[in-house]
Structure formats: C-alpha cells, structure tokens
Amino acid sequence: MHPALLGLITITIGVTSCVGYFYLSNLFLDRVLYPPRGPNAGRNINRANLIRPWLFLFPALFALGLYLAYPVVETLRLSLTERVAGGGYQWVGFDNYSQMLSEPKFWEAIRNNMLWLIVVPAMSTAFGLLAAQLTDRIKWGNIAKSLIFMPMAISFVGASVIWKLVYDARPAGTDQIGVLNALYIWFGGTEPNTWLTIPFWNNFFLMVVLIWIQTGFAMVILSAALRGIPEETIEAAIVDGASPLQIFFKIKVPQIKNTILVVWTTITITVLKVFDIVFAMTNGQWETQVLANYMYDKMFRANDWGVGSAGAMVIMLLVMPILVWNVRNTRKEMR
C-alpha cells in the first residue's frame, strides 16, 4: 500500500474513532447511566456533568499512562533486575547501580553532562537574548530572525552531519573540505587537526552544534518578552539620561528575568537528554561520553538492560526537579 494512502487511512480511522468515542460515551452517560428523567433527574444531570469532563480527558490520560507512566515503572523494574541465560529476569536490587557507579565511563558521562549544563544553556540564552535585542533594532530584523531560527527546523542528526563536515580533516597537502581546517591552514597552520579527537576541547566542538540550534529558540521567546516590556519604563529611563547598555541591563533584563529562567531551564532539560549529537559525531569516543549515549551503549550494544535502565533512571532523576520547577514557574506567570 502506498505510504500516502496508508497515512490517509490512519488519519481517517483515528479521527473517526475519536468522534465515535466522544459521541457514544456521552450517549451512554445521558441515556443509560444518568438519564435526565424521573424523580432523580436533577441529581442525574449534576452527576453526568461531573463525569463528562473525565470522559474527554480519558484518552489523553490513557495515552500518558501507556507511553509515559508505564515506561517509567518498567524501566525502574528493569534497573533492579538482570537478564538470565535462557530468558527471564532475576532480582538483583541495587547491584546494577553499584556496577554503574564503579565504571569510569559513567563518571566521564556525568562530568561531560555537567560541562554541557554549564556552557550550553548559558551561551544559548546569552546569544538568543543578544539576537533578540539587536534584530528588533534593525529594519531587516525579521529576515535575520528567520535565518537564526532556521537551525531549529533541522534535526539534531542533520545538524550533526553538517557540523561534522565543518570539522572534517583531510591529509596534509590536499584540499580541506572542512571549513575549520581550511581556515586554519589559510591562516598559517601546517597540519590539519582532527578536532573531534582532541580530548576535553572536542566536547566544546560538540556543544557548538546544540548552541547553534537552541539560540533560535531562545531568541524567539526572549524577543516576545522584550516586546512586552512597557514603553513607559524605557522612556522614563531615556529621560533620566540612561545609556542604551544601562537600559538593557537595568531596565529590560530585570523585567524579563522569569522568561530568561524558563528559557534557561528548558534548554537545560534538552542538554540533560542530549544523545543524537554525540552519537552521530563521536559515538562517545575520545572522552565525549554523555549519559544518554552511555545508556544506549549499555542497553543496546552491551545488551546489559539492567545497567542501561539504571542510567535511564539517573537521567530522569536529573531532569525531574528542573521540569517540575519549570512547570510551577510557568503556572505562576500565567496567574
């Protein structure tokens, strides 16, 4: 069957199922469970109105339970067990966590993730804020914003392939197709560098990819926040003789502080889950391992589901507090 036709059939079945579910469930509620007639008509109507919202929420709650809650519980169970020969699992308690904590690669992943957490959210937010401020002051700002935001439309793997070509190294004496090495040779370098194999610094070369992608996201959110600042405060600062830098740092930034924090924490969550970039560019080699790639290596390469699941639980535990704080802060702003 043609993929387009299959997609159309799937959409039709999905939409029809949703409409059928809502129609039939409401019909059952009003005609069978709590019919609005007889001596208890008023009470039945009230009960039906109390249950009706849950009928609409049930499909979403079911999907969340199936695709979010169940995998979390199952991953926790797997992290406390190990596979045995011949199939099946046996309970090992926290042995998988002990093994994980004893492996140098895990601590390398933790160290690199912490480095990513320090650099990427800070640089992405700073560049995004700078771009938002500058593009609002020029006539062709919307074009500039479109170009800066464009990397957000590229998948992480696609962006990794692009930047891998930027860092590409060919033998000395041949034409360099990698932009970085071409510039390095042009400025007087003698030997091209394999940038992604240089320990410690190669982590920063990988971070550039995520900063390049996330700067557009930060710019769009912060640009909207800057435009929401009351003009009266800026005009008052100008009348008082404040310089453009003073207006930016002492008037604008304090008023969008909460938005900056939301952008920062959102990018932080993305950083904690980073996998595609490392997998596509170095595969965790040359001291570039991160937690998500470590989990993948253990679970699907070493076939060690216990330790791999333990790594997944560590990622979830690191992400959860930031996610909860982000949601609570967003709700406060909405109020």
Side-chain angles (χ1 to χ4, degrees), residues 121-132:
M123 298 301 293
S124 299
T125 306
F127 287 144
L129 183 58
L130 181 64

Side-chain angles (χ1 to χ4, degrees), residues 133-142 144:
Q133 173 65 14
L134 295 179
T135 52
D136 283 339
R137 299 170 64 91
I138 56 179
K139 291 182 179 179
W140 47 278
N142 289 334

Side-chain angles (χ1 to χ4, degrees), residues 196-208:
L196 296 178
T197 65
I198 305 173
F200 183 72
W201 297 109
N202 50 9
N203 286 288
F204 292 96
F205 295 132
L206 297 179
M207 292 177 204
V208 168

Side-chain angles (χ1 to χ4, degrees), residues 235-252:
E235 290 171 1
I238 293 172
V239 170
D240 289 339
S243 67
L245 284 177
Q246 289 174 323
I247 292 172
F248 180 71
F249 286 108
K250 295 185 177 181
I251 304 297
K252 292 184 176 181

Side-chain angles (χ1 to χ4, degrees), residues 13 15 36 45 47 64 88 90 100 142 157 179 188 190 194 199 234 239 248 254 266 280 282 287 304:
I13 292 173
V15 172
I45 291 173
R47 287 181 175 178
L64 286 172
Q90 68 178 7
M100 180 179 67
N142 289 334
V157 173
V179 175
T190 55
T194 50
I234 299 173
V239 170
F248 180 71
T266 302
T282 64
E287 300 181 18
D304 191 341

Side-chain angles (χ1 to χ4, degrees), residues 116 160 206 274-285 288-290 293:
W116 279 69
S160 300
L206 297 179
V274 67
F275 165 75
D276 319 59
I277 295 170
V278 175
F279 179 79
M281 296 185 75
T282 64
N283 198 18
Q285 300 177 83
T288 60
Q289 188 68 289
V290 290
N293 199 68

